[in-house]
Amino acid sequence: MTGISEIKKSLFKIHQFSEEQLSLFTDKVTFNSLKKKDLLIKENQVSDGITFILTGSFRVFKKLNNRELTIKFFVENNWIADLESLLTQQPSKNYIEAIEDSEIASITLRDIHMLMDSHPCFRMLNALLSDLTIPTSYVATISSKNPDERYKELLLEHPQWVNRFPQMLIASYLGMTPETLSRVRARIK
């Protein structure tokens, strides 16, 4: 199954697990499909594991004053979870939504802990969590840079997002209205 091989490749990037160790991990994984707009996690739900995106894409967002602020996008071969909720086992303050029909593979925190207890090498899985953090530079960019600068930075760091995600979500990620984004895009070609 290609899903298993992609998960193994992802894990092998963080540590040279043996084939047996990789199989121990993938034996714990469950597969699921989500439709566009389905929620992987919603506000006040506790994150109980991590999910690997086989196909499709997701966004992490929060609701603020009757609008949505997209915090981060995730695509194929990314791991996704609400990191704060996962680590504290407290209710999430965010939502994770499928932007496209998606195929995913998930492993529970309980299974991860069991693997870590029986095989110390699985403590290397903490490296997966680093991609789940929201960089403080993102928050600083939203509050300190003008719309043109924010869009240029997006083009430098994630040019593929501009064509993949709806303009409304890109605007939300950049902390601006879709109209402002349209004007910015017209100026920066």
Side-chain angles (χ1 to χ4, degrees), residues 1 13 19-20 54 63 65 84 90 99 101 104 106 110 121-122 125 148 157 159 164:
M1 175 182 286
K13 286 179 187 173
E19 191 58 41
E20 177 189 347
L54 298 165
K63 291 187 178 181
N65 305 327
E84 183 178 357
Q90 296 296 311
I99 299 174
D101 290 350
I104 59 172
S106 301
R110 182 172 166 261
C121 65
F122 282 109
L125 294 174
D148 288 12
E157 294 178 9
R164 179 146 190 195

Side-chain angles (χ1 to χ4, degrees), residues 60-77:
V60 176
F61 73 95
K62 93 177 27 248
K63 291 187 178 181
L64 300 169
N65 305 327
N66 296 327
R67 68 182 185 95
E68 296 176 356
L69 175 64
T70 298
I71 300 168
K72 195 164 181 179
F73 294 106
F74 293 87
V75 296
E76 292 86 2
N77 301 318

Side-chain angles (χ1 to χ4, degrees), residues 3-20:
I4 296 287
S5 65
E6 292 305 315
I7 293 167
K8 287 180 177 181
K9 276 189 221 169
S10 171
L11 295 174
F12 204 72
K13 286 179 187 173
I14 60 167
H15 183 73
Q16 290 190 350
F17 294 104
S18 70
E19 191 58 41
E20 177 189 347

